[in-house]
Amino acid sequence: MATSKKYDVVVFGASGFTGQFVVEELGRVTSEEERGLTWAVAGRNQDKLNQVLEKASATIGVDLKDAVDVLLADIENEESLNDMAAQAQVVLNCVGPYRFFGEPVVKACLKNKAHHIDISGEPQFLETMQFKYDEEAKKKGVYIVQSCGFDSVPADLGVLYTVKNFPGRINTIESYLTLNAGPEGAVGHYATWQSAIHGLANAEELRNLRKEMGTKKPLPKSGPKLENRGPAHWSEMLQKWCVPFPGADASVVRRTQRFLYNNGENCPVQYGAFASIPDRIDLFKWQAASKVVTSLADTEFGLGLLEEVQFGAYACVSAFRYLVLLMVVGVVFGVMTKFSWGRWLLSKYPRLFSLGYFSHEGPTQKQIEGASFNMQFIGTGYSNTVLEDGDYDGPPNMTIATQVEGPEAGYVTTPIVMVQAAITLLKEMKKFPAKGGVMTPGTAYKDTSLVERLSDRGVIFSITAPAASN
């Protein structure tokens, strides 16, 4: 790919738990259809980076060590970050938690005009970067594209996919996430647990940020208000108990809908998200566990969303006793994050306080291989025929069902999404809005082929029930 930069892509944090899987996926893609793409890995420790390349080579059956350069870059060394960004057209930033380590990389990319893609599910970081750097990114023609992993491409692009395939105007969309663990069960990685702890502990900061940004102003509604289902309800469709679940997707979807409305592209969709948990708690997937934990940070992961793009997110269990257990664990976690001693204990003993679902080691390869996800979208709205009748003031008269499904969410789907997001940016930049800025996935990729690219790689978007009259 023609560029003045030495590398099309640099994977920063390549030796981290998620970064190593991004390296594998990028190596796989560049050995197949994207052979002309130039790339490098970057991080603090050259030996560890070399080990990642060796492991990836063994996994994908392609020798990467001679084809992929190693760059040394450290969050605490501004010069090294600038040197890395100066050589990259796109930096894939895999270093989290982003609230602690994300901003220096964004600043280096802006200074050296490198595009930046992250996989953050931390709304405070995401919205802070938009507040602080959106104008600078626009002036410099740099794209800072956020949440390009399982958080939050399936949700954000899934909503847009549903709207695109609806013959009329959608009023509400509800999504239902099912996360499936294999026979080995699953364990979450410590970094996700740590993000949840500090996200909830600093929730007030996000409240203040949103007031300063002015993003609490309600968006207009095109029909009846999305139903508020309360603290717990029984889902007839899923045959499970559901509790409110405002995950990171809420913030991302809201920002995309606000962008589209402000640019006159569509009437905002009221969005409600739900997550289905396996019937037995001991098969509770680590992604579901992380979502439940982060959902407790109501302000960090979805504050005020019902005032804007209406959002009701839920975790669902089939037995009432699991619902009670989930709520008790949530209350304990929430209380402990408010005190320094509580945060220390939660960080020190993740296995104990997560009932075994988080650890410093993270999931095994077998646990990853046995997992998958499915996210269903149910959209209701008004048909074109009804819209032509200006006097119609009844309820929505049409429904559509779509879905996004794929392999394990955190370390298979996320690398697939991140890598394809980078390739799409490199190849289809002319289809991006404006000439730069801090963007959500839906904002950046709405007019590109990313959905088709992901479907080709196993993260499949499809219509399960075409739009039909209610």
Side-chain angles (χ1 to χ4, degrees):
M1 299 178 183
T3 173
S4 59
K5 299 290 188 83
K6 184 175 182 180
Y7 305 108
D8 294 314
V9 176
V10 171
V11 181
F12 179 57
S15 60
F17 196 84
T18 303
Q20 61 184 320
F21 294 101
V22 174
V23 171
E24 286 183 11
E25 177 62 17
L26 187 54
R28 191 176 291 112
V29 169
T30 54
S31 67
E32 297 170 358
E33 65 267 25
E34 301 295 339
R35 292 179 179 273
L37 187 144
T38 58
W39 62 291
V41 296
R44 294 180 299 175
N45 189 304
Q46 184 163 355
D47 289 340
K48 288 184 178 180
L49 292 169
N50 285 329
Q51 291 171 12
V52 167
L53 290 176
E54 289 177 1
K55 181 181 177 183
S57 297
T59 299
I60 66 176
V62 176
D63 186 6
L64 299 177
K65 288 203 67 177
D66 294 332
V68 180
D69 290 343
V70 173
L71 308 179
L72 295 182
D74 190 333
I75 289 294
E76 297 181 355
N77 186 326
E78 182 179 349
E79 183 179 354
S80 70
L81 293 179
N82 286 328
D83 182 63
M84 173 190 70
Q87 300 181 69
Q89 190 168 5
V90 179
V91 172
L92 300 186
N93 184 5
C94 302
V95 180
Y98 289 89
R99 72 162 44 245
F100 299 129
F101 308 120
E103 187 170 2
V105 187
V106 172
K107 292 172 67 175
C109 286
L110 286 169
K111 182 176 182 179
N112 295 279
K113 295 187 177 181
H115 306 298
H116 176 280
I117 291 176
D118 67 47
I119 48 176
S120 174
E122 304 167 48
Q124 185 176 349
F125 166 78
L126 300 171
E127 295 180 40
T128 299
M129 294 303 97
Q130 182 183 20
F131 181 64
K132 295 177 68 172
Y133 300 114
D134 186 49
E135 289 302 319
E136 181 180 354
K138 289 176 180 176
K139 290 178 181 178
K140 293 186 175 181
V142 173
Y143 290 104
I144 308 296
V145 191
Q146 305 176 317
S147 302
C148 289
F150 182 70
D151 290 325
S152 292
V153 165
D156 203 19
L157 295 190
V159 167
L160 298 185
Y161 178 85
T162 306
V163 171
K164 179 180 178 181
N165 287 281
F166 189 84
R169 186 180 69 207
I170 283 190
N171 179 48
T172 64
I173 295 177
E174 295 180 311
S175 64
Y176 294 85
L177 173 63
T178 300
L179 294 156
N180 305 303
E184 297 286 327
V187 175
H189 191 260
Y190 173 73
T192 302
W193 177 255
Q194 191 178 36
S195 295
I197 293 170
H198 293 282
L200 182 53
N202 296 281
E204 185 63 26
E205 295 177 6
L206 185 55
R207 280 198 187 96
N208 295 332
L209 173 65
R210 286 176 174 168
K211 289 179 181 177
E212 190 172 358
M213 293 177 68
T215 55
K216 288 184 67 61
K217 182 180 178 180
L219 291 171
K221 303 173 182 63
S222 61
K225 185 177 180 180
L226 185 66
E227 180 182 357
N228 186 343
R229 299 182 181 275
H233 73 276
W234 176 260
S235 168
E236 291 295 336
M237 185 184 78
L238 298 178
Q239 291 294 295
K240 295 177 184 289
W241 283 98
C242 303
V243 295
F245 189 80
D249 295 344
S251 169
V252 174
V253 171
R254 175 186 59 204
R255 289 168 58 208
T256 296
Q257 293 297 311
R258 183 170 289 276
F259 173 88
L260 295 176
Y261 173 72
N262 288 341
N263 284 272
E265 296 189 38
N266 76 319
C267 188
V269 173
Q270 300 179 69
Y271 174 56
F274 307 78
S276 168
I277 299 171
D279 292 342
R280 294 180 58 192
I281 294 297
D282 60 358
L283 292 181
F284 197 160
K285 270 188 61 57
W286 75 263
Q287 290 94 345
S290 71
K291 291 285 191 178
V292 169
V293 171
T294 55
S295 75
L296 302 171
D298 182 66
T299 49
E300 169 73 0
F301 292 83
L303 172 70
L305 199 56
L306 290 174
E307 300 175 7
E308 301 181 1
V309 178
Q310 298 182 69
F311 180 88
Y314 297 84
C316 307
V317 292
S318 58
F320 184 77
R321 62 184 180 275
Y322 296 144
L323 171 64
V324 174
L325 175 61
L326 191 64
M327 296 178 74
V328 169
V329 171
V331 169
V332 171
F333 179 86
V335 171
M336 292 184 69
T337 62
K338 301 303 180 183
F339 304 95
S340 59
W341 60 264
R343 294 191 294 273
W344 182 85
L345 286 171
L346 290 169
S347 298
K348 183 71 172 179
Y349 303 105
R351 280 191 182 273
L352 174 63
F353 290 103
S354 69
L355 303 182
Y357 296 117
F358 286 90
S359 73
H360 289 92
E361 299 78 20
T364 66
Q365 188 61 38
K366 285 186 177 180
Q367 288 171 329
I368 292 171
E369 291 171 355
S372 64
F373 82 91
N374 177 283
M375 184 179 288
Q376 302 176 58
F377 297 83
I378 308 298
T380 62
Y382 304 93
S383 65
N384 285 322
T385 302
V386 162
L387 293 175
E388 292 171 1
D389 182 0
D391 295 329
Y392 183 83
D393 60 357
N397 71 321
M398 185 170 282
T399 300
I400 186 174
T402 65
Q403 72 174 10
V404 182
E405 59 183 337
E408 189 275 338
Y411 306 114
V412 182
T413 290
T414 288
I416 289 172
V417 172
M418 192 180 208
V419 169
Q420 291 303 317
I423 293 172
T424 305
L425 192 161
L426 289 168
K427 290 193 168 186
E428 303 181 37
M429 200 179 303
K430 292 182 179 179
K431 297 180 181 179
F432 278 42
K435 294 182 179 180
V438 180
M439 299 182 176
T440 63
T443 300
Y445 294 104
K446 62 186 179 63
D447 296 323
T448 72
S449 66
L450 181 57
V451 166
E452 290 75 20
R453 288 176 176 274
L454 293 177
S455 292
D456 290 342
R457 302 297 295 186
V459 181
I460 301 170
F461 293 68
S462 62
I463 300 172
T464 55
S469 297
N470 295 337

